[in-house]
Structure formats: C-alpha cells, structure tokens
Amino acid sequence: MSSFDCGAKQISNDFRKTLKSEAFPQLTIALRSLENPFNQNDCFIDGVVDITLAGVTTTYTMRYLVILDKNTIMLKGTRPVNFSDFGLEAPTKLQ
C-alpha cells in the first residue's frame, strides 16, 4: 500500500489512510478459478478473483485476455472496484 502515489504527498497520505494501510499494508489479489482451459492466443476467458483490501475480501468475476508467449501464459484484464465494496468511504476534498 505504501507504493500508491497520487502525485501529491497529502493526497497520497489521505488515500493510504482511507485504505487503512498501517493496519493492512498489503493489497492481495487471488485467482480462484478460470473457465474452460484455453489453448490459443488472444482469446477471452472468464474467471473469479478475490481482492482483499483493508482487511475485507470481495469476490469478482472478471474477463481476461489470454496472451501466450513461449512458456508464459499472461491473463490481462481490468475491473472497476468501489471503496464501498470494501466498507470504505472515499476521502472528501478539503474546502
């Protein structure tokens, strides 16, 4: 969590405080399952992932692009998440 950098020190500090980084210094992403096995490059598959943030684990279904390169399989995907998914409130801008 200490690696998050919002570009301004105070904003980064507020962000880390919101994420309870002192008590929970790590963000964990754990792949739980993937749909049918794949054997071709540039195909899409669905999977289930657990994201643990601020001590709360939330399960998401994600779509991944499969990239095969020699002996490496890379899964590439994005998934929007909300602070509320983890019981957190977004920091408010000072007036």
Coordinates of all heavy atoms in Angstrom, one line a residue:
M1 N 0.8 -1.2 0.0 CA 0.0 0.0 0.0 C 0.9 1.3 0.0 O 0.4 2.3 -0.5 CB -0.9 0.0 1.2 CG -1.8 -1.2 1.3 SD -2.8 -1.5 -0.1 CE -4.0 -0.3 0.1
S2 N 2.1 1.2 0.5 CA 2.9 2.3 0.6 C 3.4 2.8 -0.8 O 3.9 3.9 -0.9 CB 4.1 2.1 1.5 OG 4.9 1.0 1.0
S3 N 3.2 1.9 -1.8 CA 3.6 2.3 -3.2 C 2.6 3.2 -3.9 O 3.0 3.7 -4.9 CB 3.9 1.0 -4.0 OG 4.9 0.3 -3.4
F4 N 1.4 3.3 -3.4 CA 0.4 4.1 -4.1 C 0.9 5.6 -4.0 O 1.3 6.1 -3.0 CB -0.9 4.0 -3.4 CG -1.8 2.8 -3.8 CD1 -2.1 1.9 -2.9 CD2 -2.2 2.7 -5.1 CE1 -2.8 0.8 -3.2 CE2 -2.9 1.6 -5.5 CZ -3.3 0.6 -4.5
D5 N 0.9 6.2 -5.2 CA 1.3 7.6 -5.3 C 0.3 8.3 -6.1 O 0.2 8.0 -7.3 CB 2.7 7.7 -5.9 CG 3.3 9.1 -5.9 OD1 2.5 10.0 -5.6 OD2 4.5 9.2 -6.2
C6 N -0.3 9.3 -5.5 CA -1.4 10.1 -6.3 C -0.8 11.3 -6.9 O -1.6 12.1 -7.4 CB -2.5 10.4 -5.3 SG -3.3 9.0 -4.6
G7 N 0.5 11.5 -6.8 CA 1.1 12.7 -7.4 C 1.3 13.9 -6.4 O 2.1 14.8 -6.7
A8 N 0.6 13.9 -5.3 CA 0.8 14.9 -4.3 C 0.8 14.2 -2.9 O 0.0 13.4 -2.7 CB -0.4 15.9 -4.4
K9 N 1.8 14.6 -2.1 CA 2.0 13.9 -0.9 C 0.8 13.9 0.0 O 0.5 12.8 0.5 CB 3.2 14.6 -0.1 CG 3.6 13.9 1.1 CD 4.8 14.5 1.8 CE 5.2 13.8 3.0 NZ 6.4 14.3 3.6
Q10 N 0.1 15.0 0.2 CA -1.1 15.0 1.1 C -2.2 14.1 0.6 O -2.8 13.3 1.3 CB -1.6 16.4 1.4 CG -2.7 16.5 2.4 CD -2.2 15.9 3.7 OE1 -1.2 16.2 4.2 NE2 -3.1 15.1 4.4
I11 N -2.4 14.1 -0.7 CA -3.5 13.3 -1.3 C -3.1 11.8 -1.2 O -3.9 11.0 -0.9 CB -3.7 13.7 -2.8 CG1 -4.3 15.1 -2.9 CG2 -4.6 12.7 -3.5 CD1 -4.3 15.7 -4.3
S12 N -1.8 11.5 -1.4 CA -1.3 10.1 -1.3 C -1.5 9.7 0.2 O -2.0 8.5 0.4 CB 0.1 10.0 -1.7 OG 0.3 10.2 -3.1
N13 N -1.2 10.5 1.1 CA -1.3 10.2 2.6 C -2.8 10.0 2.9 O -3.1 9.0 3.6 CB -0.7 11.3 3.4 CG 0.8 11.3 3.4 OD1 1.4 10.3 3.0 ND2 1.4 12.4 3.8
D14 N -3.7 10.8 2.4 CA -5.1 10.7 2.6 C -5.6 9.4 2.0 O -6.4 8.7 2.6 CB -5.9 11.8 2.1 CG -5.7 13.1 2.8 OD1 -5.2 13.1 4.0 OD2 -6.1 14.2 2.3
F15 N -5.2 9.0 0.8 CA -5.6 7.8 0.2 C -5.1 6.6 1.0 O -5.9 5.7 1.2 CB -5.0 7.8 -1.2 CG -5.4 6.6 -2.1 CD1 -6.7 6.5 -2.5 CD2 -4.5 5.7 -2.5 CE1 -7.2 5.4 -3.2 CE2 -4.9 4.6 -3.3 CZ -6.2 4.5 -3.6
R16 N -3.9 6.6 1.4 CA -3.4 5.5 2.2 C -4.1 5.3 3.5 O -4.4 4.2 4.0 CB -1.9 5.6 2.5 CG -1.1 5.3 1.2 CD 0.4 5.3 1.5 NE 1.1 5.6 0.3 CZ 1.8 6.8 0.1 NH1 1.8 7.7 1.1 NH2 2.4 7.0 -1.0
K17 N -4.5 6.5 4.1 CA -5.3 6.5 5.4 C -6.6 5.9 5.1 O -7.1 5.0 5.9 CB -5.4 7.9 5.9 CG -6.1 8.0 7.3 CD -6.1 9.4 7.8 CE -6.9 9.4 9.1 NZ -7.0 10.8 9.6
T18 N -7.3 6.2 4.0 CA -8.6 5.7 3.7 C -8.5 4.2 3.5 O -9.4 3.4 3.9 CB -9.1 6.3 2.4 OG1 -9.3 7.7 2.6 CG2 -10.4 5.7 1.9
L19 N -7.4 3.7 2.9 CA -7.2 2.2 2.7 C -6.7 1.5 4.0 O -6.4 0.3 3.9 CB -6.2 2.0 1.6 CG -6.7 2.6 0.2 CD1 -5.6 2.3 -0.8 CD2 -8.0 2.0 -0.2
K20 N -6.5 2.3 5.1 CA -6.1 1.7 6.3 C -4.7 1.0 6.2 O -4.5 -0.2 6.6 CB -7.1 0.7 6.9 CG -8.5 1.4 7.1 CD -9.5 0.4 7.6 CE -10.9 1.0 7.7 NZ -11.9 0.1 8.1
S21 N -3.8 1.6 5.5 CA -2.6 1.0 5.1 C -1.7 0.6 6.3 O -0.9 -0.3 6.1 CB -1.8 1.8 4.1 OG -1.4 3.0 4.6
E22 N -1.8 1.3 7.4 CA -0.9 1.0 8.5 C -1.4 -0.4 9.1 O -0.5 -1.2 9.5 CB -1.0 2.1 9.6 CG -0.1 3.3 9.1 CD 0.0 4.3 10.3 OE1 0.0 3.9 11.4 OE2 0.3 5.5 10.0
A23 N -2.7 -0.6 9.2 CA -3.2 -1.9 9.8 C -3.1 -3.0 8.7 O -3.0 -4.1 9.1 CB -4.6 -1.7 10.3
F24 N -3.3 -2.6 7.5 CA -3.4 -3.6 6.4 C -2.4 -3.1 5.2 O -2.9 -2.5 4.3 CB -4.8 -3.7 5.8 CG -5.8 -4.1 6.9 CD1 -6.6 -3.1 7.5 CD2 -5.9 -5.4 7.4 CE1 -7.5 -3.4 8.5 CE2 -6.8 -5.7 8.4 CZ -7.6 -4.7 8.9
P25 N -1.2 -3.4 5.4 CA -0.2 -2.9 4.4 C -0.1 -3.5 3.1 O 0.6 -3.1 2.2 CB 1.2 -3.1 5.2 CG 0.9 -4.3 6.1 CD -0.5 -4.2 6.5
Q26 N -0.9 -4.5 2.8 CA -0.9 -5.2 1.5 C -2.3 -5.3 0.9 O -3.3 -5.5 1.6 CB -0.3 -6.6 1.6 CG 1.1 -6.6 2.1 CD 1.7 -8.0 2.1 OE1 0.9 -9.0 2.2 NE2 3.0 -8.1 2.0
L27 N -2.3 -5.2 -0.4 CA -3.4 -5.5 -1.3 C -3.2 -6.8 -1.8 O -2.1 -7.1 -2.4 CB -3.5 -4.4 -2.4 CG -4.4 -4.8 -3.6 CD1 -5.9 -4.6 -3.2 CD2 -4.1 -3.9 -4.8
T28 N -4.2 -7.7 -1.7 CA -4.0 -9.1 -2.2 C -5.0 -9.4 -3.3 O -6.2 -9.1 -3.2 CB -4.2 -10.1 -1.1 OG1 -3.3 -9.8 0.0 CG2 -3.9 -11.5 -1.6
I29 N -4.5 -10.0 -4.4 CA -5.4 -10.4 -5.5 C -5.1 -11.9 -5.7 O -4.0 -12.3 -6.0 CB -5.1 -9.6 -6.8 CG1 -5.3 -8.1 -6.6 CG2 -6.0 -10.2 -7.9 CD1 -4.9 -7.3 -7.7
A30 N -6.2 -12.7 -5.5 CA -6.0 -14.2 -5.6 C -7.0 -14.7 -6.6 O -8.2 -14.5 -6.6 CB -6.3 -14.8 -4.2
L31 N -6.4 -15.4 -7.6 CA -7.2 -16.1 -8.6 C -7.8 -17.3 -8.1 O -7.2 -18.2 -7.6 CB -6.3 -16.4 -9.8 CG -7.0 -17.0 -11.0 CD1 -7.9 -16.1 -11.7 CD2 -5.9 -17.4 -12.1
R32 N -9.2 -17.4 -8.1 CA -9.9 -18.5 -7.5 C -10.2 -19.6 -8.6 O -10.1 -20.8 -8.3 CB -11.2 -18.1 -6.9 CG -11.0 -17.3 -5.6 CD -12.3 -16.9 -5.0 NE -13.1 -18.0 -4.7 CZ -14.3 -18.0 -4.3 NH1 -14.9 -16.8 -4.2 NH2 -15.0 -19.1 -3.9
S33 N -10.6 -19.2 -9.8 CA -10.9 -20.2 -10.8 C -10.9 -19.5 -12.2 O -11.0 -18.3 -12.3 CB -12.3 -20.8 -10.5 OG -13.3 -19.8 -10.6
L34 N -10.8 -20.4 -13.2 CA -10.9 -19.9 -14.6 C -11.9 -20.9 -15.3 O -12.0 -22.0 -14.9 CB -9.5 -20.0 -15.3 CG -8.5 -19.1 -14.8 CD1 -7.1 -19.4 -15.5 CD2 -8.9 -17.6 -15.2
E35 N -12.6 -20.4 -16.3 CA -13.4 -21.2 -17.0 C -12.6 -22.2 -17.8 O -11.4 -22.3 -17.6 CB -14.3 -20.4 -17.9 CG -13.6 -19.8 -19.1 CD -14.5 -19.1 -20.1 OE1 -15.7 -18.8 -19.8 OE2 -14.1 -18.7 -21.2
N36 N -13.2 -22.9 -18.7 CA -12.6 -23.9 -19.5 C -11.1 -23.6 -19.9 O -10.8 -22.5 -20.1 CB -13.4 -24.1 -20.8 CG -14.8 -24.5 -20.6 OD1 -15.1 -25.2 -19.6 ND2 -15.7 -24.1 -21.4
P37 N -10.3 -24.7 -19.9 CA -8.9 -24.5 -20.3 C -8.9 -23.8 -21.7 O -9.8 -24.0 -22.5 CB -8.4 -25.9 -20.4 CG -9.3 -26.7 -19.5 CD -10.6 -26.1 -19.6
F38 N -7.8 -23.1 -22.0 CA -7.6 -22.5 -23.2 C -6.3 -23.0 -23.9 O -5.4 -23.4 -23.2 CB -7.5 -20.9 -23.0 CG -6.6 -20.6 -21.9 CD1 -5.2 -20.4 -22.1 CD2 -7.0 -20.5 -20.6 CE1 -4.3 -20.1 -21.1 CE2 -6.1 -20.1 -19.6 CZ -4.8 -20.0 -19.8
N39 N -6.3 -22.9 -25.2 CA -5.1 -23.3 -25.9 C -4.7 -22.4 -27.1 O -4.0 -22.8 -28.0 CB -5.2 -24.8 -26.3 CG -6.4 -25.0 -27.3 OD1 -7.1 -24.0 -27.6 ND2 -6.7 -26.2 -27.6
Q40 N -5.3 -21.2 -27.1 CA -5.0 -20.3 -28.2 C -4.7 -18.9 -27.7 O -5.2 -18.5 -26.6 CB -6.1 -20.3 -29.2 CG -7.4 -19.8 -28.7 CD -8.5 -19.9 -29.7 OE1 -8.5 -20.7 -30.6 NE2 -9.5 -19.0 -29.6
N41 N -4.0 -18.2 -28.4 CA -3.6 -16.8 -28.1 C -4.8 -15.9 -28.4 O -5.6 -16.2 -29.3 CB -2.3 -16.4 -28.8 CG -1.7 -15.2 -28.2 OD1 -1.7 -15.0 -27.0 ND2 -1.0 -14.5 -29.1
D42 N -4.8 -14.8 -27.7 CA -5.8 -13.7 -28.0 C -7.3 -14.2 -27.8 O -8.1 -13.7 -28.5 CB -5.6 -13.1 -29.3 CG -4.3 -12.3 -29.4 OD1 -3.8 -11.9 -28.4 OD2 -3.7 -12.2 -30.5
C43 N -7.6 -15.1 -27.0 CA -8.9 -15.5 -26.7 C -9.3 -14.9 -25.3 O -8.5 -14.5 -24.6 CB -9.2 -17.0 -26.7 SG -8.3 -17.9 -25.4
F44 N -10.6 -14.8 -25.1 CA -11.1 -14.3 -23.8 C -11.7 -15.4 -23.0 O -12.3 -16.3 -23.5 CB -12.2 -13.2 -24.0 CG -11.6 -11.9 -24.5 CD1 -11.5 -11.7 -25.9 CD2 -11.1 -10.9 -23.6 CE1 -11.0 -10.5 -26.4 CE2 -10.6 -9.8 -24.1 CZ -10.5 -9.5 -25.5
I45 N -11.4 -15.4 -21.7 CA -12.0 -16.3 -20.7 C -12.5 -15.6 -19.5 O -12.0 -14.5 -19.2 CB -11.0 -17.4 -20.3 CG1 -9.8 -16.8 -19.6 CG2 -10.5 -18.3 -21.5 CD1 -8.9 -17.9 -18.9
D46 N -13.4 -16.2 -18.8 CA -13.9 -15.6 -17.5 C -13.2 -16.3 -16.4 O -12.9 -17.5 -16.4 CB -15.4 -15.7 -17.5 CG -16.1 -14.9 -18.5 OD1 -15.6 -13.7 -18.7 OD2 -17.1 -15.3 -19.0
G47 N -13.1 -15.6 -15.3 CA -12.5 -16.2 -14.1 C -13.1 -15.5 -12.9 O -13.8 -14.5 -13.0
V48 N -12.8 -16.0 -11.7 CA -13.2 -15.5 -10.4 C -11.9 -15.1 -9.6 O -11.0 -15.9 -9.6 CB -14.1 -16.5 -9.6 CG1 -14.5 -15.9 -8.3 CG2 -15.3 -16.8 -10.4
V49 N -11.9 -13.9 -9.1 CA -10.8 -13.4 -8.3 C -11.3 -12.8 -7.0 O -12.4 -12.3 -6.9 CB -10.0 -12.4 -9.2 CG1 -10.9 -11.1 -9.4 CG2 -8.7 -12.0 -8.5
D50 N -10.5 -13.0 -5.9 CA -10.7 -12.4 -4.6 C -9.7 -11.3 -4.5 O -8.5 -11.4 -4.7 CB -10.4 -13.4 -3.5 CG -11.5 -14.4 -3.3 OD1 -12.7 -14.2 -3.8 OD2 -11.2 -15.5 -2.7
I51 N -10.3 -10.1 -4.1 CA -9.4 -8.9 -3.9 C -9.6 -8.6 -2.4 O -10.7 -8.4 -1.9 CB -9.8 -7.7 -4.7 CG1 -9.6 -8.1 -6.2 CG2 -8.9 -6.5 -4.4 CD1 -10.0 -7.0 -7.2
T52 N -8.5 -8.5 -1.7 CA -8.5 -8.2 -0.2 C -7.9 -6.8 -0.1 O -6.7 -6.6 -0.4 CB -7.8 -9.2 0.6 OG1 -8.4 -10.5 0.4 CG2 -7.9 -8.9 2.1
L53 N -8.6 -5.9 0.5 CA -8.2 -4.5 0.7 C -8.7 -4.1 2.0 O -9.9 -4.3 2.3 CB -8.8 -3.7 -0.4 CG -8.5 -2.2 -0.4 CD1 -7.0 -1.9 -0.6 CD2 -9.2 -1.5 -1.5
A54 N -7.9 -3.5 2.8 CA -8.2 -3.0 4.2 C -8.9 -4.1 5.0 O -9.8 -3.9 5.8 CB -9.2 -1.8 4.1
G55 N -8.4 -5.3 4.8 CA -8.9 -6.4 5.7 C -10.2 -7.0 5.2 O -10.8 -7.9 5.8
V56 N -10.8 -6.6 4.1 CA -12.1 -7.1 3.6 C -11.8 -7.7 2.2 O -11.2 -7.2 1.3 CB -13.1 -5.9 3.4 CG1 -14.4 -6.4 2.8 CG2 -13.3 -5.2 4.8
T57 N -12.3 -8.9 2.1 CA -12.2 -9.7 0.8 C -13.5 -9.6 0.0 O -14.6 -9.9 0.6 CB -11.8 -11.1 1.1 OG1 -10.5 -11.1 1.8 CG2 -11.6 -11.9 -0.2
T58 N -13.4 -9.2 -1.2 CA -14.6 -9.2 -2.1 C -14.3 -10.0 -3.3 O -13.2 -10.0 -3.9 CB -14.9 -7.7 -2.5 OG1 -15.1 -7.0 -1.3 CG2 -16.1 -7.7 -3.4
T59 N -15.3 -10.8 -3.8 CA -15.1 -11.7 -4.9 C -15.7 -11.0 -6.2 O -16.8 -10.5 -6.1 CB -15.8 -13.0 -4.7 OG1 -15.2 -13.6 -3.5 CG2 -15.6 -14.0 -5.8
Y60 N -14.9 -11.1 -7.3 CA -15.4 -10.5 -8.5 C -15.3 -11.6 -9.7 O -14.3 -12.4 -9.7 CB -14.5 -9.3 -8.9 CG -14.6 -8.2 -8.0 CD1 -13.6 -8.0 -7.0 CD2 -15.6 -7.2 -8.1 CE1 -13.7 -6.9 -6.1 CE2 -15.7 -6.2 -7.2 CZ -14.7 -6.0 -6.2 OH -14.7 -5.0 -5.4
T61 N -16.1 -11.5 -10.6 CA -16.0 -12.2 -11.9 C -15.3 -11.2 -12.8 O -15.6 -10.1 -12.9 CB -17.3 -12.6 -12.4 OG1 -18.0 -13.5 -11.5 CG2 -17.2 -13.4 -13.8
M62 N -14.3 -11.8 -13.5 CA -13.5 -10.9 -14.5 C -13.4 -11.6 -15.8 O -13.5 -12.8 -15.9 CB -12.1 -10.7 -13.9 CG -12.2 -9.8 -12.7 SD -10.6 -9.2 -12.2 CE -9.9 -8.5 -13.6
R63 N -13.2 -10.8 -16.8 CA -12.9 -11.3 -18.2 C -11.5 -11.0 -18.5 O -11.0 -9.9 -18.2 CB -13.8 -10.6 -19.2 CG -13.5 -11.0 -20.6 CD -14.7 -11.0 -21.5 NE -15.4 -12.2 -21.2 CZ -16.0 -12.9 -22.1 NH1 -16.0 -12.6 -23.4 NH2 -16.7 -14.0 -21.8
Y64 N -10.8 -12.0 -18.9 CA -9.3 -11.9 -19.2 C -9.0 -12.2 -20.6 O -9.6 -13.1 -21.3 CB -8.5 -13.0 -18.4 CG -8.7 -12.9 -16.9 CD1 -9.6 -13.7 -16.2 CD2 -7.9 -12.0 -16.2 CE1 -9.7 -13.6 -14.8 CE2 -8.0 -11.9 -14.8 CZ -8.9 -12.7 -14.1 OH -9.0 -12.7 -12.8
L65 N -8.1 -11.4 -21.2 CA -7.5 -11.7 -22.5 C -6.3 -12.6 -22.2 O -5.5 -12.4 -21.4 CB -7.0 -10.4 -23.1 CG -6.2 -10.6 -24.4 CD1 -7.0 -11.2 -25.5 CD2 -5.6 -9.2 -24.8
V66 N -6.3 -13.8 -22.9 CA -5.2 -14.7 -22.8 C -4.1 -14.4 -23.8 O -4.3 -14.2 -25.0 CB -5.7 -16.2 -23.0 CG1 -4.5 -17.2 -23.0 CG2 -6.8 -16.5 -22.1
I67 N -2.9 -14.2 -23.3 CA -1.7 -13.9 -24.1 C -0.7 -15.0 -23.8 O -0.2 -15.2 -22.7 CB -1.1 -12.6 -23.8 CG1 -2.2 -11.5 -24.0 CG2 0.1 -12.3 -24.6 CD1 -1.8 -10.1 -23.4
L68 N -0.4 -15.8 -24.9 CA 0.5 -16.9 -24.8 C 1.9 -16.5 -25.4 O 1.9 -16.0 -26.5 CB 0.0 -18.2 -25.5 CG -1.3 -18.7 -25.1 CD1 -1.8 -19.8 -26.0 CD2 -1.3 -19.2 -23.7
D69 N 3.0 -16.7 -24.7 CA 4.3 -16.3 -25.2 C 5.3 -17.3 -24.7 O 5.7 -17.3 -23.5 CB 4.6 -14.9 -24.7 CG 6.0 -14.4 -25.2 OD1 6.4 -14.9 -26.3 OD2 6.6 -13.6 -24.6
K70 N 5.7 -18.2 -25.6 CA 6.6 -19.3 -25.3 C 6.1 -20.1 -24.1 O 5.1 -20.7 -24.2 CB 8.0 -18.7 -25.0 CG 8.6 -18.1 -26.2 CD 10.0 -17.6 -26.0 CE 10.5 -16.8 -27.2 NZ 11.8 -16.1 -26.9
N71 N 6.8 -20.1 -22.9 CA 6.4 -20.8 -21.8 C 5.6 -20.0 -20.8 O 5.5 -20.4 -19.6 CB 7.6 -21.4 -21.1 CG 8.3 -22.5 -22.0 OD1 7.7 -23.1 -22.7 ND2 9.6 -22.5 -21.8
T72 N 5.1 -18.9 -21.2 CA 4.4 -18.0 -20.3 C 2.9 -17.8 -20.7 O 2.6 -17.7 -21.9 CB 5.1 -16.6 -20.3 OG1 6.4 -16.8 -19.9 CG2 4.4 -15.7 -19.3
I73 N 2.0 -17.8 -19.8 CA 0.6 -17.5 -20.0 C 0.3 -16.3 -19.2 O 0.5 -16.2 -18.0 CB -0.3 -18.7 -19.6 CG1 0.0 -19.9 -20.3 CG2 -1.8 -18.2 -19.8 CD1 -0.7 -21.2 -19.7
M74 N -0.1 -15.2 -19.9 CA -0.5 -14.0 -19.2 C -2.0 -13.8 -19.4 O -2.5 -13.9 -20.5 CB 0.3 -12.8 -19.8 CG 0.0 -11.5 -19.1 SD 1.0 -10.1 -19.4 CE 0.8 -9.9 -21.2
L75 N -2.6 -13.4 -18.3 CA -4.0 -13.0 -18.3 C -4.1 -11.5 -18.0 O -3.6 -11.0 -17.0 CB -4.8 -13.8 -17.2 CG -4.7 -15.3 -17.2 CD1 -5.4 -15.9 -16.0 CD2 -5.3 -15.8 -18.5
K76 N -4.7 -10.8 -18.9 CA -4.8 -9.4 -18.8 C -6.3 -9.0 -18.7 O -7.1 -9.4 -19.6 CB -4.2 -8.8 -20.1 CG -4.1 -7.3 -20.0 CD -3.3 -6.8 -21.2 CE -3.1 -5.3 -21.2 NZ -2.3 -4.8 -22.3
G77 N -6.6 -8.2 -17.7 CA -8.0 -7.8 -17.5 C -8.1 -6.6 -16.6 O -7.1 -6.3 -15.8
T78 N -9.2 -5.9 -16.6 CA -9.4 -4.8 -15.7 C -10.8 -5.0 -15.1 O -11.7 -5.6 -15.7 CB -9.4 -3.4 -16.5 OG1 -10.4 -3.4 -17.5 CG2 -8.0 -3.2 -17.1
R79 N -11.0 -4.4 -13.9 CA -12.3 -4.5 -13.3 C -12.4 -3.3 -12.3 O -11.6 -3.1 -11.4 CB -12.3 -5.8 -12.4 CG -13.6 -5.9 -11.5 CD -14.8 -6.2 -12.4 NE -15.9 -6.8 -11.7 CZ -16.8 -6.1 -11.0 NH1 -16.7 -4.8 -10.8 NH2 -17.8 -6.7 -10.4
P80 N -13.4 -2.4 -12.6 CA -13.6 -1.3 -11.6 C -14.0 -1.8 -10.3 O -14.8 -2.8 -10.2 CB -14.7 -0.5 -12.3 CG -15.0 -1.1 -13.6 CD -14.3 -2.4 -13.7
V81 N -13.5 -1.2 -9.2 CA -14.0 -1.6 -7.9 C -14.3 -0.3 -7.2 O -13.8 0.8 -7.5 CB -12.9 -2.4 -7.1 CG1 -12.6 -3.7 -7.8 CG2 -11.6 -1.6 -6.9
N82 N -15.1 -0.3 -6.2 CA -15.5 0.8 -5.4 C -15.0 0.7 -4.0 O -14.9 -0.4 -3.4 CB -17.1 1.0 -5.4 CG -17.6 1.2 -6.8 OD1 -17.2 2.0 -7.5 ND2 -18.6 0.3 -7.2
F83 N -14.8 1.9 -3.4 CA -14.4 1.9 -1.9 C -15.5 1.1 -1.1 O -15.2 0.4 -0.2 CB -14.3 3.3 -1.4 CG -13.0 4.0 -1.7 CD1 -13.0 5.1 -2.4 CD2 -11.8 3.4 -1.3 CE1 -11.8 5.8 -2.7 CE2 -10.6 4.0 -1.6 CZ -10.6 5.2 -2.3
S84 N -16.8 1.4 -1.5 CA -17.9 0.8 -0.8 C -17.9 -0.8 -0.8 O -18.4 -1.4 0.1 CB -19.2 1.3 -1.3 OG -19.4 1.0 -2.7
D85 N -17.2 -1.4 -1.9 CA -17.1 -2.8 -1.9 C -16.3 -3.4 -0.8 O -16.4 -4.5 -0.4 CB -16.4 -3.2 -3.2 CG -17.2 -2.9 -4.5 OD1 -18.4 -2.5 -4.4 OD2 -16.6 -3.0 -5.6
F86 N -15.5 -2.5 -0.1 CA -14.7 -2.9 1.0 C -15.0 -2.2 2.3 O -14.3 -2.2 3.2 CB -13.2 -2.7 0.6 CG -12.8 -3.4 -0.6 CD1 -12.9 -2.8 -1.9 CD2 -12.4 -4.7 -0.6 CE1 -12.6 -3.5 -3.0 CE2 -12.0 -5.4 -1.7 CZ -12.1 -4.8 -2.9
G87 N -16.2 -1.6 2.3 CA -16.7 -0.9 3.5 C -15.9 0.3 3.8 O -15.8 0.8 5.0
L88 N -15.4 1.0 2.8 CA -14.6 2.2 3.0 C -15.3 3.4 2.4 O -16.2 3.2 1.5 CB -13.2 2.1 2.2 CG -12.3 0.9 2.6 CD1 -11.2 0.8 1.7 CD2 -11.9 1.1 4.1
E89 N -15.0 4.6 2.9 CA -15.6 5.8 2.4 C -14.5 6.6 1.7 O -13.4 6.7 2.3 CB -16.2 6.6 3.5 CG -17.5 6.0 4.0 CD -18.2 7.0 5.0 OE1 -18.1 8.2 4.8 OE2 -18.9 6.5 5.9
A90 N -14.8 7.1 0.5 CA -13.8 7.9 -0.2 C -13.5 9.2 0.6 O -14.4 9.8 1.2 CB -14.3 8.2 -1.6
P91 N -12.2 9.6 0.6 CA -11.9 10.8 1.3 C -12.6 12.0 0.6 O -12.8 12.0 -0.6 CB -10.4 10.9 1.2 CG -10.0 10.0 0.1 CD -11.1 9.0 -0.1
T92 N -12.9 13.0 1.3 CA -13.5 14.2 0.8 C -12.5 15.3 0.6 O -11.6 15.4 1.4 CB -14.7 14.7 1.6 OG1 -14.2 14.9 3.0 CG2 -15.8 13.7 1.7
K93 N -12.6 16.1 -0.4 CA -11.7 17.2 -0.7 C -11.9 18.3 0.3 O -13.1 18.6 0.6 CB -12.0 17.7 -2.1 CG -11.0 18.7 -2.6 CD -11.3 19.0 -4.1 CE -11.5 20.4 -4.3 NZ -11.7 20.7 -5.7
L94 N -10.8 18.8 0.8 CA -10.9 19.9 1.7 C -11.4 21.2 1.0 O -11.1 21.5 -0.1 CB -9.6 20.3 2.4 CG -9.0 19.2 3.3 CD1 -7.6 19.5 3.7 CD2 -9.9 18.9 4.5
Q95 N -12.3 21.9 1.6 CA -12.9 23.2 1.1 C -12.0 24.3 1.3 O -11.4 24.5 2.3 CB -14.3 23.4 1.6 CG -15.2 22.3 1.3 CD -15.6 22.1 -0.2 OE1 -15.5 23.1 -0.9 NE2 -15.8 20.9 -0.6

